């Protein structure tokens, strides 16, 4: 795995300002596979300066030309998709097939969608005697997590570029190689120097410097709610635009009329994919009391089938944290029906696919985001009870509803306090807005809604 020992700033790889580095570890075998520079405030300054310099020309570039550059970027991601998948597998640990399909595949779809949107979006409209222009906000500071290393980057950078903004990216410490590969792709696609810049480094150093930088006009952050609150406060104090994509504790609501086996099977797969490290995962399965025992048996069987097809967790800290939650579930009286806290392998940060039955809504494992392959099955008595439980956390990112009749599922979904709901296993749509209600965040990513986050309006009256 080739790693760059500098930062990508102003269209070139430049020496880092400091000498510290971050070790990149393969979580499947705990071996160090590379080192990248740990950026400091001076690196962030240089990157913001480059983005600022590049902004006027990029903002003035006709949308059709911006679209062509984003299409070229998409083509490079397509050409290098095997390398992307291998890199994500090496630093995140996801099984190669999952990396190919999801970690490499989804960013290609999203980049493609923004190549089209940049060309077709109405950046200008007539409203009565006014013309309203949608103009780019300016320099974007993008801070991303490790769980979908390339998707999280593309879901910010592609709409920002489509809008005419320039970007400084600070990717997660655990997955900087994918971010460096993305910077190479930007370069290969021929984006003008300074339009995209990369500073690797620690969140508390480089991330904080970027979020607080006076030259950054908009901070787009995806990560934990705790850090999101800090970033929101910093941005608020500076009257700076901010988008926050935070945690989740989503409910998979199986109404009594649903195809139970399908709803349980898809529900388990939804959580186990990416080893449970998906912010929108349906980690609470809500089942009517009349079907509870059958659902538990089906879920235990489905989780056991996953066995060693599941990848490791990203790092030692998450490994300890997730197993701690499983121990807490047992201590609070939930019943383990699959998996458990024991590490299934001697090497690597693996956790067995775990299912808890007899979980009550107020238990820690039903309230807090675990970010591991752990499903809690909760019993409900009637629809109102199911709704109370589904809405009964501080989060509101995603969810699922299953019913024989689509209208019945839709009626329930409309009462959920959450940003998106899959009806009877609805497919991922890269054009649908993604983001949270309540403490799951502020703002939306993907599609036209994601593009509008990077725009501000100016009205001219005639
Ligand atoms: P994290 O909040 O620790 O880190 C996210 C990013 O923020 C990293 O790049 C990190 O370096 C940086 N960071 C950390 N401290 C910072 C600070 N003080 N100032 C500025 N930047 C800082 O989260 P994580 O552990 O990387 O990711 C897991 C969390 O992210 C989970 O809670 C998950 O739900 C959430 N997440 C949410 C979404 C979403 O779209 N809503 C998507 C993925 C992950």
């Amino acid at each position: 795995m080739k790693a760059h020992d500098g930062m990508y700033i102003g269209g070139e790889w430049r020496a880092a300002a400091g000498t510290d580095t971050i070790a990149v570890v393969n979580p499947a075998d705990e071996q160090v596979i590379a080192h990248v520079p740990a950026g400091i405030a001076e690196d962030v300054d240089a990157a913001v300066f480059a983005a600022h310099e590049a902004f006027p020309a990029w903002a003035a570039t006709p949308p059709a030309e911006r679209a062509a550059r984003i299409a070229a970027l998409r083509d490079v991601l397509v050409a290098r998709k095997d390398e992307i998948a291998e890199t994500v597998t090496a630093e995140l640990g996801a099984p190669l097939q999952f990396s190919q399909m999801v970690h490499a595949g989804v960013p290609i779809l999203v980049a493609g969608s923004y190549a089209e949107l940049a060309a077709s979006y109405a950046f200008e409209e007539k409203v009565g005697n006014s013309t309203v222009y949608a103009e780019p906000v300016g320099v974007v500071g993008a801070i991303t997590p490790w769980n979908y290393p390339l998707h999280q980057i593309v879901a910010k950078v592609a709409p920002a570029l489509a809008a005419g903004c320039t970007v400084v990216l600070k990717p997660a410490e655990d997955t900087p190689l994918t971010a460096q590969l993305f910077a190479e792709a930007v370069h290969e696609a021929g984006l003008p120097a300074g339009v995209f810049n990369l500073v690797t480094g620690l969140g508390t150093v480089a991330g904080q410097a970027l979020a607080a930088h006076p030259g950054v006009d908009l901070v787009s952050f995806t990560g934990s709610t705790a850090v999101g609150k800090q970033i929101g406060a910093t941005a608020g104090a500076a009257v700076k635009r901010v988008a926050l994509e935070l945690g989740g504790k989503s409910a998979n609501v199986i109404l009594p009329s649903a195809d139970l086996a399908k709803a349980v099977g898809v529900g388990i797969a939804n959580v186990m994919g990416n080893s449970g490290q998906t912010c929108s995962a349906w980690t609470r399965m809500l089942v009517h009391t009349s079907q509870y025992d059958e659902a538990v048996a089906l879920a235990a069987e489905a989780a056991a089938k996953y066995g060693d097809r599941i990848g490791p967790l990203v790092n030692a800290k998450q490994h300890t944290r997730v197993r701690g939650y499983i121990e807490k579930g047992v201590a609070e009286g939930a019943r383990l029906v699959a998996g458990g806290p024991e590490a299934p392998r001697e090497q690597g940060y693996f956790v067995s696919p775990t299912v808890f039955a007899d979980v009550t809504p107020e238990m820690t494992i039903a309230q807090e985001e675990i970010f591991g392959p752990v499903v809690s099955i909760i019993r409900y008595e009637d629809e109102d009870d199911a709704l109370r439980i589904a809405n009964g956390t501080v989060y509101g990112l995603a969810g699922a509803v299953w019913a024989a009749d689509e209208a019945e599922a839709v009626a329930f979904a409309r009462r959920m306090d959450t940003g998106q709901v899959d009806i009877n296993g609805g497919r991922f749509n890269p054009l649908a807005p993604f983001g949270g209600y309540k403490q799951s965040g502020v703002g939306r990513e993907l599609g036209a809604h994601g593009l509008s986050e990077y725009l501000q309006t100016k009205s001219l009256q005639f």
Side-chain angles (χ1 to χ4, degrees), residues 142-148 151-152 156 169-175 201-212 219 221-228 230-231 234 244-249 277-280 314-315 317-318 321 369-371 395 397 434-436 439-441 445:
I143 301 175
T144 54
W146 43 262
N147 65 337
Y148 287 87
H151 169 67
Q152 306 288 7
K156 296 188 190 309
L169 168 69
K170 206 303 284 174
E173 294 83 332
D174 291 294
T175 53
L202 299 177
T204 46
V205 181
Q208 211 157 314
L210 183 60
V219 182
F221 168 82
T222 298
S224 60
T225 298
V227 176
Q230 276 181 41
I231 289 181
T234 306
L244 305 171
E245 298 285 349
L246 309 176
K249 192 72 194 174
Q277 303 168 120
T278 304
C279 47
S280 55
V314 70
N315 58 32
K317 189 173 147 214
Q318 289 299 109
R321 188 170 166 268
E369 185 176 51
I370 299 174
F371 233 53
Y395 296 114
L397 188 56
F434 179 88
Q439 287 189 29
S440 287
E445 293 196 314

Side-chain angles (χ1 to χ4, degrees), residues 303-394:
K305 265 203 214 144
Y306 254 84
D308 54 10
R309 283 192 292 131
I310 196 167
L313 299 185
V314 70
N315 58 32
K317 189 173 147 214
Q318 289 299 109
H319 196 223
T320 305
R321 188 170 166 268
V322 169
R323 286 155 61 220
Y325 270 115
I326 298 174
E327 281 163 2
K328 189 145 203 173
V330 174
E332 289 185 3
R335 177 166 55 100
L336 263 181
V337 294
E342 303 79 24
R345 301 192 202 179
E346 271 177 25
Q347 219 186 19
Y349 307 126
F350 291 88
V351 170
S352 299
T354 296
V355 177
F356 276 111
D358 300 342
V359 178
T360 57
E362 67 283 357
M363 283 181 186
T364 306
I365 54 167
Q367 287 293 323
E368 295 184 13
E369 185 176 51
I370 299 174
F371 233 53
V374 183
V375 176
S376 294
I377 312 185
I378 305 175
R379 181 192 301 270
Y380 68 82
E381 301 297 330
D382 56 33
E383 268 198 31
D384 284 343
D385 192 29
L387 189 70
R388 248 190 324 271
I389 298 168
N391 288 342
T393 76
V394 296

Side-chain angles (χ1 to χ4, degrees), residues 36 92 109 176 186 225 248 275 295 360 373:
V36 299
L92 179 69
L109 281 180
V186 165
T225 298
S275 309
T360 57

Side-chain angles (χ1 to χ4, degrees), residues 55 67 90 191 233 239 289 432 438 462:
F55 176 69
L191 274 113
V239 198
T289 189
K438 302 195 286 187
F462 296 90

